[in-house]
Structure formats: C-alpha cells, structure tokens
Amino acid sequence: MSTYEVAEEVIKALRLENRSEEILIKDTERYKEKNRDLRISNNKLKNCGVLFSSTEEAVRTCINDFLF
C-alpha cells in the first residue's frame, strides 16, 4: 500500500471523500523511478503470536479512537 493509498484511507475514514481532490495531491514524478510503499513482512512476529491489523483497519480504529 503506497503512502498515497494510506492517505486515501484516512480521508475516507474521516468521511471527506467529497474533498479528496482538494486535500490530496498525487505526486507521480518525485518517486517515479523508486516506487515507495509502506509494506513490511510481519511473518516472524506472526509466528510468535504478535498480530497486526491491516492498514485500512488500523486507520479506521485510530480515527474512531480519537472520535473524529
């Protein structure tokens, strides 16, 4: 999931989709040669019983926890 996609999830969780184009600007040039994304492997942690939510679920939980 790219940084842009995470920002889209935050906007969606805040119910600001109608302002998405105004708030979020997609940069297609800066990292054109080196696509950035936020994924990491949690397999070792999972094998030890440590589980993480999906990014989408974590964003929704955070927004809800802070009553936005």
Side-chain angles (χ1 to χ4, degrees):
M1 177 171 252
S2 71
T3 307
Y4 182 84
E5 291 167 330
V6 172
E8 286 181 316
E9 286 298 321
V10 171
I11 289 170
K12 192 163 107 179
L14 290 170
R15 297 183 188 107
L16 294 173
E17 297 97 331
N18 61 324
R19 295 186 55 209
S20 184
E21 289 181 21
E22 172 189 346
I23 297 169
L24 189 58
I25 301 168
K26 190 168 189 170
D27 184 349
T28 57
E29 294 299 318
R30 188 184 302 177
Y31 300 106
K32 191 174 189 175
E33 301 301 317
K34 289 187 175 183
N35 195 16
R36 297 172 59 156
D37 93 33
L38 302 175
R39 287 179 285 192
I40 60 172
S41 174
N42 294 317
N43 289 333
K44 287 183 182 178
L45 292 170
K46 187 188 289 185
N47 291 339
C48 293
V50 178
L51 304 174
F52 290 93
S53 307
S54 69
T55 300
E56 297 88 346
E57 186 179 332
V59 166
R60 286 190 299 271
T61 300
C62 183
I63 298 296
N64 289 333
D65 285 351
F66 288 94
L67 304 174
F68 285 105

